[in-house]
Amino acid sequence: MFVSTGKKLIEICTQKNIPIWEYTIQEEIEKSESSRQTVTDKMKTTLHVMMSSSTYAQENEVHSVSGLIGGDAYKIKHYADNKNTLTGEFMNRAMARALSSSEVNAAMGRIAACPTAGSCGILPAVVLSAGEKLNKTEDELTNALFTAAGVGIIIAKNATLSGAEGGCQAECGSAAAMASAAVVEMMGGTPGQALSAAAIVIKNILGLVCDPVAGLVEVPCAKRNIAGTVSALTTADLVMSGVYSKIPFDDVVRAMYKVGRQMPPELRETALGGVAITPAGLKYKKEIFKD
Amino acid sequence: MRNFSVFDIIGPIMIGPSSSHTAGAARLAKVAASIAGGRIKRVEFLLHGSFSETYKGHGTDKALAAGILDMEPWDENIKNSLETAEEKGIEIVFTPADLGDVHPNTVRFIITKDDGSVSMITGSSIGGGNILIFDIDGQAVEFTGERPTLLTRYRDLPGVISKISSILYEENINIANMRVYRNEKGKMANMTLETDSIITEDAMNKIRKITEIDNVKFINPIVEGVL
């Protein structure tokens, strides 16, 4: 059975001298009683869905079913191509990728929930952007998704991945933590460094509420996928420089869960608080559901 | 503590925007259509709670119609399902309803078939694309569709369950979960039985021949296959 804490995960990986992704693959083979090929092929299929969702809305202006969001990934893509950006082509392309998946999702296109549909832009954007920069192979990108899944399993066991239960910190926060850990391993970091990155990402988003305008997975969700992507990428660099989280991953995950439970229901996906009930938020809601 | 698969965390592969309001809705409707069986002429969807309040923005209506058309939750044609249903001459009606003290994402399917018979199936989308069917034609049931499922209505006499389980045993099919429901002793009873492996055609035919069985349905799980 998959270990229940980050501490155990680091211990077992260190002892066997394997990365998190290898441990995660081995556990999945055992749990699903399938071959290594079957398990990695399934993840590769997921990777292909991610490649497509993170590209499509950069090349085509995609609009959501409600009409609330759309066309922004296309804008960022063209801005990134200008090369006159402040944070560089790499970061702008990553932002465009994140938004592309979120826009495709809101337009009833095909995505891979990771861990949820609302946060589906972060992991593809982070892993594919880092992979492109570091010239990683498709197999290495697939491995990165296993690192992310391993970290996600521990969060799911000790906290929650659902916005209705834990707020946006549980969805976009977990997605960004998983993604950052994946990139750290991709860059040659240790399992301890990977979880340090995950811890830092969650600390920096701790307390973020889930307040979808009109109850739809669009505003502010799509742009929070961008924020999570940027945080995951910068934190990977931070950790690879030698900085580590003073608060261990397991403590941070427990804190995140507690904070989620302390949030009033209004701030947990019910669309009864936060930006959902601002004058603009309510106006959008009225326009969408007017009939 | 639940033993998660990596694909519970990264996945499902689905059509957005919402695993509960879109992917789960498509899955519910697909299972409901397969329970009803036969050619469908009309479906009225009674939408409860969050389903009734936000179904348009989440595309729940399109996902439900897609499921009735037997589309998979990851089929990119879901967004055109209402038009497809119209082309196929299937009447689709959405009605907001109060279904009582049930999960906020609940829908009741009133399915009319070509032969005029009506099936009523109620289920909830319980999160992450997972579903629970809990009422078929007024009879309480409980199954998730994650495993191969046998649904049967039979005369409540001694030995029926043993006949079914013997047939499954002969085919080396392990029973994962079994529930029996009846309103009155000796009258008609319902059973839902979930298995670990696909129920073979042979086993289905043998089970269909059991004399006490009034009707039996086999629901296979919706598993991500070729995209």
Side-chain angles (χ1 to χ4, degrees):
Chain A
M1 190 160 165
F2 205 96
V3 293
S4 297
T5 64
K7 187 166 178 269
K8 285 253 172 62
L9 181 63
I10 294 170
E11 268 171 28
I12 203 161
C13 287
T14 310
Q15 185 199 326
K16 291 186 170 179
N17 196 23
I18 53 172
I20 295 171
W21 60 259
E22 176 60 31
Y23 171 77
T24 306
I25 292 174
Q26 288 178 12
E27 284 299 314
E28 186 66 20
I29 291 168
E30 194 179 319
K31 182 187 153 49
S32 63
E33 297 171 10
S34 349
S35 68
R36 188 177 181 102
Q37 185 78 34
T38 306
V39 169
T40 53
D41 278 356
K42 193 169 177 192
M43 193 60 99
K44 207 166 273 182
T45 304
T46 307
L47 177 71
H48 291 153
V49 171
M50 291 178 169
M51 285 171 166
S52 164
S53 71
S54 63
T55 309
Y56 188 80
Q58 294 187 55
E59 291 164 358
N60 307 274
E61 283 195 48
V62 169
H63 292 273
S64 68
V65 178
S66 72
L68 195 51
I69 65 164
D72 287 348
Y74 185 82
K75 274 184 208 152
I76 307 173
K77 157 87 166 55
H78 285 269
Y79 178 70
D81 288 347
N82 277 334
K83 303 193 195 286
N84 282 327
T85 66
L86 181 63
T87 55
E89 192 189 353
F90 171 78
M91 198 56 87
N92 279 275
R93 284 184 57 82
M95 293 197 291
R97 281 193 172 102
L99 201 50
S100 175
S101 296
S102 290
E103 288 181 349
V104 165
N105 181 54
M108 297 194 84
R110 188 190 289 151
I111 56 100
C114 54
T116 61
S119 60
C120 74
I122 297 172
L123 187 60
V126 171
V127 166
L128 295 174
S129 298
E132 187 178 65
K133 172 110 181 179
L134 304 169
N135 288 317
K136 294 295 177 186
T137 64
E138 197 167 286
D139 283 343
E140 288 169 315
L141 298 178
T142 307
N143 291 342
L145 298 184
F146 281 106
T147 308
V151 173
I153 287 174
I154 295 181
I155 301 174
K157 284 186 174 212
N158 295 284
T160 173
L161 301 169
S162 133
E165 237 187 308
C168 189
Q169 55 163 10
E171 287 204 23
C172 287
S174 299
M178 288 157 53
S180 196
V183 172
V184 168
E185 281 209 327
M186 208 193 257
M187 294 174 83
T190 63
Q193 284 178 304
L195 291 189
S196 209
I200 292 169
V201 167
I202 296 178
K203 283 191 295 181
N204 289 346
I205 203 175
L206 201 66
L208 189 64
V209 301
C210 178
D211 50 353
V213 167
L216 304 176
V217 196
E218 300 188 29
V219 176
C221 322
K223 292 193 183 80
R224 285 188 184 157
N225 275 262
I226 298 179
T229 297
V230 172
S231 170
L233 288 167
T234 53
T235 305
D237 257 343
L238 187 69
V239 166
M240 290 311 288
S241 78
V243 175
Y244 69 96
S245 177
K246 301 277 187 204
I247 312 289
F249 173 74
D250 291 325
D251 287 3
V252 173
V253 170
R254 262 177 241 122
M256 190 260 278
Y257 186 56
K258 271 191 195 157
V259 168
R261 303 309 297 176
Q262 287 165 344
M263 280 180 195
E266 286 80 0
L267 300 176
R268 284 189 272 124
E269 213 182 297
T270 52
L272 298 171
V275 300
I277 57 163
T278 55
L282 292 170
K283 188 168 149 266
Y284 286 128
K285 183 184 175 188
K286 210 172 155 190
E287 282 166 14
I288 293 165
F289 297 118
K290 55 178 173 275
D291 52 346
Chain B
M1 208 177 267
R2 193 174 148 201
N3 193 12
F4 291 92
S5 156
V6 297
F7 301 106
D8 294 328
I9 309 296
I10 299 190
I13 293 169
M14 54 169 269
I15 297 302
S18 159
S19 57
S20 54
H21 287 70
T22 321
R27 196 172 278 253
L28 269 172
K30 191 172 157 78
V31 173
S34 111
I35 294 171
R39 272 184 56 87
I40 293 170
K41 190 167 70 179
R42 178 182 196 271
V43 184
E44 181 174 7
F45 301 90
L46 302 186
L47 302 172
H48 172 88
S50 175
F51 266 14
S52 82
E53 283 154 31
T54 66
Y55 74 94
K56 278 190 181 160
H58 280 122
T60 308
D61 47 353
K62 295 172 181 171
L64 287 169
I68 294 295
L69 295 168
D70 204 31
M71 289 183 193
E72 307 287 358
W74 53 88
D75 189 330
E76 289 188 300
N77 295 312
I78 285 181
K79 56 176 173 288
N80 307 317
S81 67
L82 293 173
E83 293 79 7
T84 311
E86 201 179 337
E87 282 159 22
K88 293 196 171 183
I90 301 172
E91 191 187 345
I92 299 280
V93 181
F94 299 97
T95 312
D98 182 354
L99 300 176
D101 184 21
V102 293
H103 190 283
N105 299 329
T106 296
V107 53
R108 176 166 295 157
F109 301 87
I110 302 174
I111 300 178
T112 310
K113 283 173 285 180
D114 270 1
D115 62 8
S117 64
V118 177
S119 299
M120 206 166 75
I121 296 136
T122 316
S124 305
S125 176
I126 55 175
N130 300 309
I131 63 162
L132 183 74
I133 300 278
F134 63 86
D135 189 298
I136 299 175
D137 294 330
Q139 180 72 50
V141 295
E142 198 170 291
F143 73 98
T144 63
E146 279 165 35
R147 292 197 179 89
T149 305
L150 176 159
L151 300 172
T152 180
R153 185 169 157 79
Y154 61 97
R155 276 176 57 83
D156 180 31
L157 295 169
V160 180
I161 294 172
S162 147
K163 284 181 191 173
I164 294 173
S165 62
S166 302
I167 292 166
L168 295 175
Y169 170 68
E170 282 165 25
E171 297 279 327
N172 200 24
I173 299 165
N174 190 40
I175 298 173
N177 197 345
M178 191 167 101
R179 283 166 207 255
V180 177
Y181 315 84
R182 64 173 190 197
N183 292 332
E184 210 180 327
K185 189 176 159 189
K187 297 284 169 65
M188 296 310 286
N190 285 275
M191 175 164 71
T192 61
L193 188 151
E194 296 174 307
T195 60
D196 284 332
S197 50
I198 297 287
I199 302 169
T200 57
E201 200 64 40
D202 262 6
M204 288 188 202
N205 287 331
K206 285 183 195 162
I207 291 168
R208 284 190 188 106
K209 284 183 190 140
I210 299 173
T211 48
E212 292 88 348
I213 284 186
D214 179 47
N215 77 61
V216 59
K217 291 189 168 84
F218 302 92
I219 317 285
N220 279 324
I222 300 171
V223 183
E224 277 165 19
V226 183
L227 295 174

